[in-house]
Amino acid sequence: MTARRPLAMEGWVGLYVLAYLPNVMITRMVTGFADPVLGRPLTGLETLPASLLINLVLTYGFIWASGWHVHAHAVRLGRFRLPCPTRWTLLSGLGTGLVLFTVPLSLTFQGVSVPFIQLVMRGDVLIIAPLVDLVFGRRVRWWSWAALAMVALALGITLQDRGGLHLPPLAILTVVLYTIGYFLRLAVMTRVGKNGDLAVLRAYFVEEKMIALPLSVAMLAAISASGLGGQAGELATGFITVWSLPAIWPLVAIGVTLTIISVLAIIILMAPAENAYCVPLERAASLVAGVGGSVLLAWGWGMKMPRGAELLGAGILIGAIALLSLAPRWRREISKTP
């Protein structure tokens, strides 16, 4: 029997887009169409607790069923072996907790289109990706710089079309926390795991998620328990009321897709290539899914169509994905030519 060939990077990216597409669409539908019992759509904050709790349960189930937990660092408590993060994966877990909190929230702001908020958030991360590479002495190849320039161009076109940033305060805070979280993730990934070793990848995933998922839920619970402002009331609804609403089934679907996305994302981001290669590939793919989901919602459910500049930006990002996929192959073919 012959060994199976590993799936190429573009294969993982394709699966990532297919998982992200329904996540975007379901999130926008839950926050855009009225729940039969409530008589109104759920707010973004109301969707977060249940979807993250479902994601937590499913991710822990995947870690156990897949056997990935055996690769993690651990401590012994009698007969039991309990996974335990290192100081580095603990730091990454804190950053990922911020990402898990902000990504679903970014899809729910009224009056802010999905492609635009995704462009802003991805643009920030793409700026820090090569900076992390340079800090850790990793080489950044020309195609990575070119893809970064293409993504920057897409962001600039969209910002100019909208006449500037013009985001509500909570959306700006979401972007800032997301960027900080991703910086911590990329720094730790580069420090401990971007070497192609599957055991290291699995250990990193387990140790990061065992911190990040409970932390993201705890942050929401703390805001809810504070009783301050409308956000606390919305989160209380998300923790308690939604479980008896028809909307719980779409929230289950969101939790399922979040779990799949998290596994695929770590495979892409932990590839041995430089961050300036992996990050644009993963971020551009998520943005393409966001734009595609918005277009499908406009065609099938009458929701707002993305602006022309946003569609142009998505086209540029598709070009960046193609460049990142093809340029390394061209280099290998040229090097083989006598």
Side-chain angles (χ1 to χ4, degrees), residues 254-320:
I254 292 171
V256 171
T257 55
L258 281 174
T259 304
I260 297 171
I261 289 166
S262 68
V263 175
L264 296 173
I266 206 67
I267 292 172
I268 297 169
L269 292 173
M270 290 280 281
E274 66 266 28
N275 288 303
Y277 172 87
C278 299
V279 173
L281 198 60
E282 189 257 353
R283 295 293 80 194
S286 69
L287 183 55
V288 168
V291 173
S294 297
V295 170
L296 291 175
L297 287 171
W299 285 346
W301 288 269
M303 299 186 77
K304 187 177 179 180
M305 179 68 74
R307 299 164 67 96
E310 293 168 345
L311 294 174
L312 175 59
I316 294 172
L317 290 174
I318 292 173

Side-chain angles (χ1 to χ4, degrees), residues 70-91:
V70 302
H71 299 282
H73 294 85
V75 294
R76 286 281 181 184
L77 290 179
R79 295 183 301 166
F80 298 100
R81 181 183 184 274
L82 300 179
C84 179
T86 66
R87 60 178 179 175
W88 294 109
T89 49
L90 173 62
L91 181 62

Side-chain angles (χ1 to χ4, degrees), residues 82-250:
L82 300 179
C84 179
T86 66
R87 60 178 179 175
W88 294 109
T89 49
L90 173 62
L91 181 62
S92 183
L94 297 176
T96 304
L98 294 177
V99 173
L100 289 173
F101 173 75
T102 54
V103 168
L105 185 61
S106 72
L107 304 175
T108 62
F109 295 115
Q110 296 297 320
V112 180
S113 72
V114 171
F116 178 68
I117 190 68
Q118 287 194 324
L119 268 173
V120 173
M121 295 171 76
R122 276 53 175 177
D124 289 351
V125 172
L126 292 166
I127 291 171
I128 65 174
L131 297 180
V132 173
D133 283 325
L134 295 175
V135 167
F136 284 89
R138 298 177 67 92
R139 179 185 176 190
V140 181
R141 294 169 175 81
W142 70 264
W143 52 78
S144 298
W145 288 118
L148 285 168
M150 293 172 72
V151 176
L153 175 62
L155 180 60
I157 290 172
T158 306
L159 284 173
Q160 184 179 26
D161 177 68
R162 290 179 59 93
L165 195 59
H166 302 311
L167 290 174
L170 184 57
I172 294 174
L173 177 62
T174 297
V175 172
V176 171
L177 293 177
Y178 174 88
T179 305
I180 293 172
Y182 242 102
F183 176 80
L184 293 175
R185 286 194 83 193
L186 292 179
V188 174
M189 284 181 187
T190 307
R191 171 68 173 74
V192 305
K194 286 177 68 67
N195 56 15
D197 188 330
L198 285 178
V200 172
L201 182 151
R202 292 166 181 169
Y204 176 90
F205 180 85
V206 173
E207 295 171 25
E208 179 191 65
K209 289 296 182 286
M210 67 180 295
I211 298 299
L213 288 167
L215 175 63
S216 61
V217 174
M219 287 191 294
L220 292 177
I223 297 172
S224 177
S226 71
L228 298 176
Q231 287 86 358
E234 291 176 28
L235 288 172
T237 300
F239 273 108
I240 300 169
T241 308
V242 296
W243 301 97
S244 60
L245 298 177
I248 188 60
W249 297 111

Side-chain angles (χ1 to χ4, degrees), residues 16-30:
Y16 183 88
V17 172
L18 290 177
Y20 215 113
L21 191 65
N23 179 274
V24 170
M25 294 179 66
I26 297 168
T27 301
R28 293 298 280 185
M29 291 176 74
V30 168

